[in-house]
C-alpha cells in the first residue's frame, strides 16, 4: 500500500489565507529535503494537491518528476512552467523552527520555494480559470547535478505533454526581494568541467635541472588560460575560466612527476563554449609539448547556457510589471554566471527564464548553497501571482 504523507503543518483548513497555505507548504518541504532522484515528499505533495483541484496528473516522469495539466476554454496554445524540487547534500545549520529533519540534506538553493510558488499558481489558476488554453505544471527532479531536465525529456516529456514554450525561475538573494530580472539571449551560463594531468620528471628539489618540473608547465598554462577571456572571447559576452583544484605527487623537498588540475568554465553562448574548449586544449597541449612534458586533457559539457527567446521575454516582463510594478522589473539584466539545467528544455522549445529577487535586508550576505540559507517567504505569494498572471496574459480569453 502506498504510504501517505503525514503533514506536520496543517494547511487544509478552508479558512486559511492563501499566503498561509504557501508558507505551510514551503516549511513542510524545507523540513523534508531529498536530493536528486530520491525525491518523494515533494512529488507526492504536488500530485495530491493538483489532483484535489481537478488537474490531470502524471507521476514518475523522468523517474521522480510530476506533470500537472490544466485546460480551460477551447484555445489551442499550451505553455509549460517548470519548478525544481531537489535539495542539496548539506547539513543544515539554521535555527528556525522548520529546519531540515533529514540529516545531511537541506534546501540550500530555494527549490522548496520554487515548488511552492508553482503549486500556488496551479491552485490560483484552477480556481480562477481565467485563461483560454492549456498549462503544464512541470515539477522537475535533479536540477542540482544537471540531470533532471534531460531525464524528463528522455522520458518523452515533449511527446507526452507537448508545449509551445517554457518558463522557469530561480530565486536570487543578492537581488532585492520582489524584483524580477531577465534578458533576451543568454541569461544564465553554461558550465563545462575540465581536467588535465601534466607528466614530467620528478626529483630532488635541490636539482631541478635533472628533471622536468610539471609545476613550471602548469604556471605557464594557468596564466595563458586567462588570455582566452581577455584576448579570444568577444568582450561583450562574459566568459569565466577557473582552475579550482590542483594535486601533485611531490613533497616540500621533492619536485613532482605528475600534476593534475581541475576546474570549470562558464559562458553564455554555445559559440563561446566551443571557443573555450578549443583554445584550452591548444594552450594546455601546446605548452606541455613545448616543455617536453606529456599531457592528458578532458573537457565535458555539464550545462548548456540558458538562452531566452525575445517573444517569451516580452511576455514574462509584461506579467512581471503587472504583479511587481514597472519599477521592480529589469528586462535587460546582466547575465547570471550560475548554471541551470532549464537550458535543456530551450533546446526543444522557446522560453524564458527569470531571476526572482529574494534578498532579506537583515541577511543580505547569505548566499545560495550556504548551510543557513532559507527561502524568503515574503515573495511566495507574488511569485505565484506572477505565474498566474503570465498564463492569463499569454493565454488570453
Amino acid at each position: 500500500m502506498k504510504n501517505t504523507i503525514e503533514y506536520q503543518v496543517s494547511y487544509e483548513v478552508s479558512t486559511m489565507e492563501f499566503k498561509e497555505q504557501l508558507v505551510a507548504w514551503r516549511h513542510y518541504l524545507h523540513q523534508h529535503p531529498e536530493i536528486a532522484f530520491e525525491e518523494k515528499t515533494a512529488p507526492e505533495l504536488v500530485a495530491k494537491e493538483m489532483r484535489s483541484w481537478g488537474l490531470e496528473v502524471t507521476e514518475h516522469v523522468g523517474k521522480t518528476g510530476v506533470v500537472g495539466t490544466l485546460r480551460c476554454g477551447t484555445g489551442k496554445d499550451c505553455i509549460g512552467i517548470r519548478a525544481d524540487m531537489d535539495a542539496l547534500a548539506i547539513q543544515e545549520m539554521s535555527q528556525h523552527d522548520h529546519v531540515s529533519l533529514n540529516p545531511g540534506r537541506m534546501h540550500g538553493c530555494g527549490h522548496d520555494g520554487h515548488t511552492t510558488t508553482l503549486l500556488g499558481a496551479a491552485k490560483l489558476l484552477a480556481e480562477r480559470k481565467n485563461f483560454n488554453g492549456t498549462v503544464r505544471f512541470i515539477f522537475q527532479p535533479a536540477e542540482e547535478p544537471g540531470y533532471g531536465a534531460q531525464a524528463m525529456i528522455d522520458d518523452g516529456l515533449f511527446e507526452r505533454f507537448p508545449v509551445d514554450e517554457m518558463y522557469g525561475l530561480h530565486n536570487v538573494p543578492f537581488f532585492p526581494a520582489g524584483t524580477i530580472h531577465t534578458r533576451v539571449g543568454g541569461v544564465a551560463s553554461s558550465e563545462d568541467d575540465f581536467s588535465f594531468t601534466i607528466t614530467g620528471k620528478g626529483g630532488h628539489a635541490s636539482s631541478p635541472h635533472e628533471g622536468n618540473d610539471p609545476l613550471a608547465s602548469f604556471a605557464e598554462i594557468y596564466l595563458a588560460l586567462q588570455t582566452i577571456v581577455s584576448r579570444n572571447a568577444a568582450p561583450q559576452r562574459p566568459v569565466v575560466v577557473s582552475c579550482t583544484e590542483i594535486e601533485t605527487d611531490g613533497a616540500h623537498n621533492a619536485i613532482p612527476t605528475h600534476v593534475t588540475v581541475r576546474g570549470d568554465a562558464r559562458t553564455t553562448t554555445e559559440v563561446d563554449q566551443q571557443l573555450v574548449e578549443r583554445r584550452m586544449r591548444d594552450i594546455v597541449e601546446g605548452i606541455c609539448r613545448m616543455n617536453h612534458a606529456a599531457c592528458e586533457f578532458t573537457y565535458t559539457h555539464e550545462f548548456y547556457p540558458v538562452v531566452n527567446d525575445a517573444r517569451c521575454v516580452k511576455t514574462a516582463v509584461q506579467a512581471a510589471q503587472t504583479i511587481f510594478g514597472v519599477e521592480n522589473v529589469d528586462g535587460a539584466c546582466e547575465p547570471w554566471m550560475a548554471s541551470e539545467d532549464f537550458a535543456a528544455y530551450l533546446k526543444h522549445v522557446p522560453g524564458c527564464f527569470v531571476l526572482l529577487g529574494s534578498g532579506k535586508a537583515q541577511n543580505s550576505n547569505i548566499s545560495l548553497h550556504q548551510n543557513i540559507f532559507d527561502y524568503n517567504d515574503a515573495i511566495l505569494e507574488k511569485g505565484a501571482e506572477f505565474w498566474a498572471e503570465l498564463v492569463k496574459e499569454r493565454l488570453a480569453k
Side-chain angles (χ1 to χ4, degrees):
M1 180 181 294
K2 186 175 180 180
N3 293 330
T4 58
I5 300 173
E6 295 295 334
Y7 294 101
Q8 293 199 352
V9 183
S10 174
Y11 57 82
E12 296 184 10
V13 179
S14 60
T15 58
M16 185 175 286
E17 295 293 331
F18 179 58
K19 183 176 180 179
E20 291 175 299
Q21 287 190 319
L22 294 174
V23 171
W25 283 330
R26 211 280 294 176
H27 287 192
Y28 179 78
L29 291 172
H30 193 92
Q31 286 182 310
H32 299 85
E34 292 149 339
I35 60 172
F37 297 127
E38 295 179 6
E39 303 93 345
K40 179 181 178 183
T41 300
E44 287 187 2
L45 188 156
V46 300
K48 176 180 182 293
E49 291 302 323
M50 287 192 294
R51 283 196 178 101
S52 74
W53 306 325
L55 277 72
E56 300 172 18
V57 177
T58 304
E59 299 179 71
H60 309 296
V61 182
K63 296 185 179 179
T64 52
V66 179
V67 177
T69 298
L70 180 63
R71 296 182 175 88
C72 187
T74 59
K76 301 301 183 184
D77 290 345
C78 178
I79 66 173
I81 308 175
R82 171 274 215 169
D84 36 17
M85 300 184 292
D86 60 320
L88 293 160
I90 296 175
Q91 181 62 45
E92 184 168 12
M93 302 301 291
S94 304
Q95 301 300 314
H96 50 68
D97 59 5
H98 52 277
V99 68
S100 171
L101 300 177
N102 296 344
R105 304 285 188 267
M106 77 165 289
H107 272 295
C109 202
H111 296 185
D112 51 341
H114 303 165
T115 297
T116 299
T117 298
L118 185 55
L119 185 60
K123 177 177 172 60
L124 293 175
L125 290 164
E127 292 172 350
R128 294 172 181 173
K129 294 184 172 62
N130 57 353
F131 63 96
N132 185 29
T134 301
V135 189
R136 313 278 193 194
F137 302 94
I138 299 167
F139 293 90
Q140 179 202 304
E143 187 281 328
E144 291 294 350
Y147 305 143
Q150 193 60 50
M152 295 190 83
I153 293 167
D154 291 343
D155 199 17
L157 177 69
F158 292 120
E159 293 78 22
R160 297 163 63 188
F161 312 99
V163 298
D164 299 312
E165 57 207 44
M166 286 275 287
Y167 296 87
L169 66 73
H170 203 293
N171 83 99
V172 181
F174 57 75
F175 286 140
T179 59
I180 289 283
H181 308 258
T182 191
R183 71 194 307 267
V184 175
V187 68
S189 80
S190 64
E191 182 187 3
D192 298 338
D193 291 349
F194 62 83
S195 173
F196 55 88
T197 298
I198 307 167
T199 301
K201 180 183 178 184
H204 201 284
S206 65
S207 305
H209 60 291
E210 295 181 354
N212 182 355
D213 186 355
L215 284 170
S217 294
F218 170 60
E220 293 182 61
I221 289 169
Y222 183 81
L223 294 176
L225 289 179
Q226 296 312 311
T227 65
I228 300 173
V229 177
S230 64
R231 289 296 178 267
N232 299 136
Q236 299 90 344
R237 300 194 300 267
V239 172
V240 178
V241 176
S242 298
C243 296
T244 56
E245 296 180 76
I246 179 169
E247 296 177 3
T248 82
D249 56 1
H252 76 279
N253 62 348
I255 294 170
T257 295
H258 302 96
V259 172
T260 297
V261 180
R262 302 180 187 89
D264 85 3
R266 296 171 183 266
T267 69
T268 59
T269 70
E270 290 189 42
V271 170
D272 287 333
Q273 265 191 302
Q274 296 166 6
L275 167 69
V276 171
E277 179 177 7
R278 182 176 66 253
R279 287 295 296 131
M280 185 176 291
R281 186 181 297 277
D282 289 345
I283 288 169
V284 172
E285 294 179 348
I287 289 176
C288 287
R289 187 164 53 249
M290 179 180 70
N291 290 336
H292 305 290
C295 177
E296 295 181 5
F297 179 85
T298 61
Y299 193 98
T300 61
H301 300 279
E302 305 299 323
F303 289 82
Y304 299 114
V306 179
V307 181
N308 282 343
D309 174 77
R311 186 175 63 83
C312 295
V313 169
K314 182 178 179 181
T315 296
V317 167
Q318 288 175 341
Q321 289 175 342
T322 299
I323 299 301
F324 294 97
V326 174
E327 70 280 7
N328 292 316
V329 178
D330 181 357
C333 71
E334 295 297 322
W336 189 37
M337 297 310 288
S339 301
E340 243 287 347
D341 78 344
F342 184 82
Y345 301 121
L346 302 187
K347 291 284 189 179
H348 298 266
V349 295
C352 176
F353 193 75
V354 307
L355 309 177
L356 172 58
S358 61
K360 301 178 182 179
Q362 69 275 25
N363 293 313
S364 58
N365 61 338
I366 294 178
S367 66
L368 299 173
H369 290 212
Q370 196 170 347
N371 62 6
I372 58 172
F373 178 83
D374 187 35
Y375 196 86
N376 188 349
D377 289 332
I379 62 173
L380 289 170
E381 188 172 15
K382 278 199 170 182
E385 290 284 5
F386 163 64
W387 284 140
E389 180 66 21
L390 186 145
V391 170
K392 186 185 79 171
E393 293 188 10
R394 175 62 183 84
L395 302 177
K397 285 192 172 183

